[in-house]
Amino acid sequence: MKRRVLNIACIGAGYVGGPTMAVIADRCPDISVTVVDLNEARIAAWNSDALPIYEPGLAEIVKRTRGRNLRFITQAEGAAAIAQADAVFISVNTPTKTQGEGAGKASDLSYVESCARYIADHATGHTLVIEKSTMPVRAADTIKRILANGKGGATFHVLSNPEFLAEGTAIRDLEKPDRVLIGGEDPDSIEALAEVYRHWVPEKAILRTGLWSAELSKLAANAFLAQRVSSINAISALCEATEADVDEVASVLGSDSRIGPKFLKSSVGFGGSCFKKDLLSLIYLCEFYQLAGPAAYWQGVLDINEWQKHRIAELAAAHARRNGGIVAILGLAFKKDTNDFRESPAIDVCNQLLAAGLQLRLHDERVEAQAFSACLTRGTKSVRFCGSIDEAVEGADAILVLTEWDRYAKLDWSALFAIAAHGASVFDGRAVIDRVAARAAGFKVYSVGKG
Ligand code: UDX
Ligand code: UDX
């Protein structure tokens, strides 16, 4: 039976659910979209002028769609929206399990399971239930089992429609996706969801697969992307030892059409809510299916990332320890153009510097100081959050760049040299600063992957 999706509900108003639903509402004026979240403060923020997440272009879209065909409500008010929905997206977080079987590796599906129960209790008629969050392979089995035991008389089809947006470019990625992936078992349900995306995505970019391939493709895509960063970071250390330049090497690699130029920027390490969690989930799946070789292979990608963060932190720590012990950290977000610092390399680097007894002065363009301080394991006595770059750098013995914010690429190094401590060095963990200007100003400069 052919069906049309006219009412959408989405559970989870986070970095994925919020922007994705805003773009669907923007591009599909004939569809009514309701975003539901347990967190009342987050919903209040979505309904205010100070949105809970920073993403270029997002505020403008929310402004023109909110109150038209997009609304944000709390889960307590959400039952009617689920009852009305033809399609419910599950966009809640799937963190790494901290206890029970698979602790430390497997994804925790308890939020997904509670969403499935909530949908089972409130849905009416025939409802598509769509996995938007990244899930382990065969998570749809769990959702189907819960839906089948629901009290209401609704019927369901489960689809996997993983989101490939990257933070910082979420709106661009959603508006012009490389591809939209829909995995499922029922062709009519797949087409009903494809019809939503056809409002703005070309048909050839809408890929259809089986459920399990869709679930696994998302995990594998993140693992491949993380693997590229670890590969170039492994080369960065060799560049430093051999006086090669990692950006030159990357540009040669990237000009081979089989390799391609993207995702070859050497860094202090990858962060973000997905790569580590999804690699751990993949490793757990490999182990579960007794595939020790593949598990060790993907573990290697994570190990290089830890090693890279550690070695760059140690370079800055060693210099600061020999001098006055003050380190300015420029950048806390896991990448530029987001206020997100989940799994940011800055967390591990800061904790390592604090463990070495150093004093930290932290600056970021968007990350809230209060929220970040909760990630620091040694309390905040040795830490000062600074409202300006000058305040962070004043008196610092080492300046450590951890996020590639555009502003850090354009710093006035002469002015900073005048206020930094005597003999201060710069450690650029993103290879973004103007090294020539920093050296000309008088700084000693280390830059990742630059021999
Ligand atoms: C991220 C990843 O991007 C995604 O692919 C992964 O699978 C999960 O984590 P994200 O949108 O960034 O998703 O997560 P987050 O910003 O934490 O948002 C999740 C939202 O779901 C939160 O606002 C939380 O309050 C809400 N939630 C969680 C519910 O509404 N109900 C629940 O039962 C659990
Ligand atoms: C990633 C995937 O790109 C996206 O498709 C998926 O939906 C969610 O996970 P995200 O984590 O938001 O997106 O950002 P991404 O741009 O992938 O960057 C991840 C991390 O890798 C960042 O810390 C970034 O700085 C780092 N990175 C990325 C590098 O160090 N070098 C690169 O060349 C690219």
Side-chain angles (χ1 to χ4, degrees):
M1 182 184 36
K2 289 256 181 287
R3 304 174 195 94
R4 265 192 77 196
V5 172
L6 291 174
N7 283 289
I8 287 177
C10 170
I11 309 179
Y15 285 86
V16 172
T20 308
M21 292 305 124
V23 169
I24 290 181
D26 197 34
R27 297 304 178 120
C28 310
D30 55 326
I31 297 178
S32 162
V33 181
T34 304
V35 189
V36 180
D37 200 293
L38 269 181
N39 183 333
E40 291 177 15
R42 211 164 206 189
I43 288 298
W46 278 110
N47 284 316
S48 76
D49 287 336
L51 300 184
I53 67 178
Y54 172 70
E55 195 57 71
L58 175 66
E60 291 80 354
I61 294 183
V62 170
K63 203 168 170 195
R64 62 176 178 259
T65 49
R66 197 174 55 194
R68 183 186 81 183
N69 62 334
L70 176 67
R71 63 190 179 125
F72 295 91
I73 61 175
T74 63
Q75 195 158 322
E77 313 161 302
I82 303 292
Q84 237 183 2
D86 307 304
V88 184
F89 286 83
I90 299 179
S91 302
V92 296
N93 39 337
T94 49
T96 303
K97 271 176 107 169
T98 53
Q99 51 189 8
E101 204 187 320
K105 284 191 181 146
S107 293
D108 180 352
L109 288 184
S110 57
Y111 298 136
V112 172
E113 290 166 16
S114 80
C115 286
R117 279 191 288 276
Y118 183 70
I119 297 167
D121 286 346
H122 299 294
T124 58
H126 188 74
T127 308
L128 303 180
V129 176
I130 301 163
E131 296 176 346
K132 182 51 94 179
S133 313
T134 308
M135 308 266 181
V137 188
R138 302 203 75 94
D141 270 340
T142 307
I143 297 173
K144 283 194 260 183
R145 205 167 38 245
I146 293 171
L147 294 172
N149 290 327
K151 295 192 286 279
T155 54
F156 302 97
H157 272 121
V158 177
L159 297 172
S160 167
N161 173 221
E163 185 46 64
F164 294 103
L165 69 81
E167 289 174 31
T169 53
I171 300 303
R172 196 175 72 208
D173 297 343
L174 286 162
E175 291 184 335
K176 270 180 101 47
D178 285 352
R179 78 295 209 197
V180 164
L181 172 58
I182 305 177
E185 291 162 332
D186 173 49
D188 286 344
S189 300
I190 293 174
E191 289 321 303
L193 182 58
E195 184 54 38
V196 173
Y197 287 106
R198 266 199 296 269
H199 280 73
W200 79 99
V201 178
E203 172 59 32
K204 65 176 182 342
I206 303 176
L207 310 185
R208 286 111 169 136
T209 66
L211 257 179
W212 317 129
S213 300
E215 289 178 337
L216 182 55
S217 297
K218 175 63 202 268
L219 280 182
N222 275 349
F224 268 57
L225 291 168
Q227 174 267 325
R228 274 177 79 97
V229 178
S230 279
S231 292
I232 200 68
N233 282 344
I235 296 295
S236 75
L238 202 52
C239 287
E240 292 164 29
T242 58
E243 298 191 3
D245 179 316
V246 74
D247 287 332
E248 289 180 355
V249 174
S251 99
V252 175
L253 297 179
S255 66
D256 184 326
S257 61
R258 293 168 301 174
I259 298 175
K262 294 183 183 166
F263 247 77
L264 286 177
K265 182 71 188 149
S266 178
S267 65
V268 59
F270 59 74
S273 71
C274 290
F275 282 1
K276 184 175 177 190
K277 164 178 76 73
D278 292 348
L279 278 165
L280 287 170
S281 175
L282 195 63
I283 292 164
Y284 179 73
L285 277 167
C286 292
E287 288 171 350
F288 183 82
Y289 290 103
Q290 297 178 338
L291 302 167
Y297 175 75
W298 294 115
Q299 182 63 49
V301 173
L302 277 177
D303 292 346
I304 287 288
N305 200 49
E306 295 306 310
W307 179 80
Q308 182 82 338
K309 286 185 273 190
H310 180 78
R311 79 179 183 94
I312 293 175
E314 186 45 39
L315 284 173
H319 175 82
R321 262 195 309 257
R322 284 195 302 272
N323 293 280
I326 297 179
V327 184
I329 303 282
L330 302 188
L332 305 174
F334 81 99
K335 61 186 285 198
K336 74 170 180 177
D337 290 340
T338 178
N339 61 342
D340 193 354
F341 57 87
R342 287 176 291 177
E343 298 296 340
S344 175
I347 297 171
D348 284 344
V349 169
C350 287
N351 281 327
Q352 190 175 326
L353 296 173
L354 287 171
L358 300 166
Q359 302 278 322
L360 304 188
R361 309 275 184 266
L362 310 186
H363 177 268
D364 190 85
E365 295 282 274
R366 292 277 172 182
V367 170
E368 275 173 33
Q370 192 63 31
F372 186 83
S373 64
C375 298
L376 299 176
T377 48
R378 301 227 158 199
T380 49
K381 273 211 307 286
S382 311
V383 177
R384 191 164 86 215
F385 288 93
C386 304
S388 72
I389 295 170
D390 284 3
E391 186 189 344
V393 169
E394 196 172 357
D397 302 286
I399 301 167
L400 186 45
V401 179
L402 297 181
T403 311
E404 74 284 20
W405 285 107
D406 289 343
R407 208 164 137 209
Y408 299 157
K410 299 179 205 140
L411 294 173
D412 178 347
W413 288 103
S414 303
L416 293 178
F417 190 73
I419 57 174
H422 179 69
S425 287
V426 181
F427 297 85
D428 182 359
R430 296 281 182 170
V432 286
I433 67 157
D434 182 343
R435 283 181 298 286
V436 175
R439 284 199 184 106
F443 284 107
K444 282 214 176 75
V445 179
Y446 159 87
S447 189
V448 62
K450 307 284 180 181

